[in-house]
Amino acid sequence: MSQLTPSSQSAPETAYNWLRSYIASLPRDAETFLNEAVLTKETGTSRTPVREALLRLEAEGFIKRVPHKGAYVPPISDADVRAILQARSVVEKWAVSGLDDMVEGQIDALQGLIDQQREAQGDPARFIELDTEFHTLMVRAAGNPILTDFYSSLRQRQLRIGVLAVTKGRGRADQVLGEHQSIVDALRARNIESTHQAIDSHLKSTRAAIVGY
């Protein structure tokens, strides 16, 4: 594992970004323990920034602390994938049910994220970061902070399964862009039924790309 990091970043930020990208790139069915000594070498920092990064990643749900063993990255099973996507379907469709309250500026912001994704197709981790931002913005627009926090708690698992989908599935990135565009077009048309159908279609193809059915 080796990765270039911007010299302008602080040491904790460098360690955090490197670790998050590394974890996101792991196969979803892989489990691993992270060794602090190895991480200090790979990130080009010291143990203190690495420990700060690990604490931050633990708070965000990327890793778990196991007594006497260290930082653990758990696997994500097929059942986990299906449960995550079911939860997303419920939250996302509820969030867009109040279409009349969504202002054009919010829809324009979603379109902007699609445009950024198009530019990031060669960088799977960045592509999926933008993917997560797209869906989170859609949920946040509903104005329910509790549901937004719940949705954000799925972030780390969405990153891992999403990176796998766009690297494993041939043409999946183009497919995602088209599916996101269908969601935005339905939102702009203020058609709840079409928006729900576009969300379900997107999540169904995501599941197929990850678990095969």
Side-chain angles (χ1 to χ4, degrees):
M1 44 166 121
S2 64
Q3 200 171 8
L4 294 176
T5 50
S7 58
S8 60
Q9 293 179 340
S10 67
E13 198 69 20
T14 294
Y16 170 80
N17 287 331
W18 189 96
L19 273 163
R20 190 176 62 170
S21 294
Y22 173 66
I23 293 169
S25 71
L26 290 172
R28 69 176 176 85
D29 57 351
E31 57 180 350
T32 187
F33 281 92
L34 303 175
N35 182 286
E36 286 188 9
V38 173
L39 294 176
T40 58
K41 180 179 179 181
E42 293 293 342
T43 60
T45 61
S46 62
R47 283 183 180 267
T48 298
V50 165
R51 286 172 181 166
E52 289 181 20
L54 289 172
L55 286 171
R56 182 174 170 186
L57 290 164
E58 182 182 21
E60 294 174 351
F62 280 82
I63 63 173
K64 295 180 179 179
R65 290 283 186 167
V66 178
H68 312 301
K69 290 188 176 181
Y72 172 66
V73 182
I76 300 173
S77 67
D78 286 358
D80 291 333
V81 172
R82 290 193 292 271
I84 290 165
L85 294 177
Q86 286 169 358
R88 286 183 55 184
S89 176
V90 171
V91 175
E92 291 181 24
K93 288 195 291 185
W94 178 88
V96 300
S97 292
L99 280 176
D100 291 340
D101 296 326
M102 186 174 286
V103 299
E104 285 295 323
Q106 291 170 320
I107 299 175
D108 290 342
L110 291 170
Q111 183 65 59
L113 287 169
I114 294 175
D115 296 339
Q116 290 182 58
Q117 274 193 291
R118 189 171 289 108
E119 296 294 322
Q121 287 189 74
D123 183 348
R126 177 59 178 159
F127 185 90
I128 296 303
E129 278 279 3
L130 291 165
D131 182 283
T132 305
E133 287 183 33
F134 176 91
H135 290 278
T136 301
L137 177 59
M138 190 165 61
V139 172
R140 190 183 297 123
N144 186 317
I146 294 176
L147 275 182
T148 299
D149 286 346
F150 166 73
Y151 193 84
S152 296
S153 73
L154 303 175
R155 184 179 181 85
Q156 64 89 6
R157 286 171 288 183
Q158 291 187 61
L159 284 173
R160 279 183 72 190
I161 64 178
V163 169
L164 173 69
V166 297
T167 54
K168 179 181 177 183
R170 192 169 187 178
R172 178 57 187 159
D174 285 331
Q175 192 177 11
V176 168
L177 290 169
E179 291 163 0
H180 280 185
Q181 191 63 59
S182 294
I183 293 171
V184 168
D185 291 345
L187 286 170
R188 208 177 286 282
R190 307 289 172 171
N191 188 318
I192 293 176
E193 184 178 355
S194 293
T195 306
H196 284 186
Q197 289 174 350
I199 290 170
D200 278 337
S201 178
H202 176 48
L203 296 179
K204 182 178 179 180
S205 66
T206 298
R207 185 187 67 210
I210 298 166
V211 301
Y213 59 92

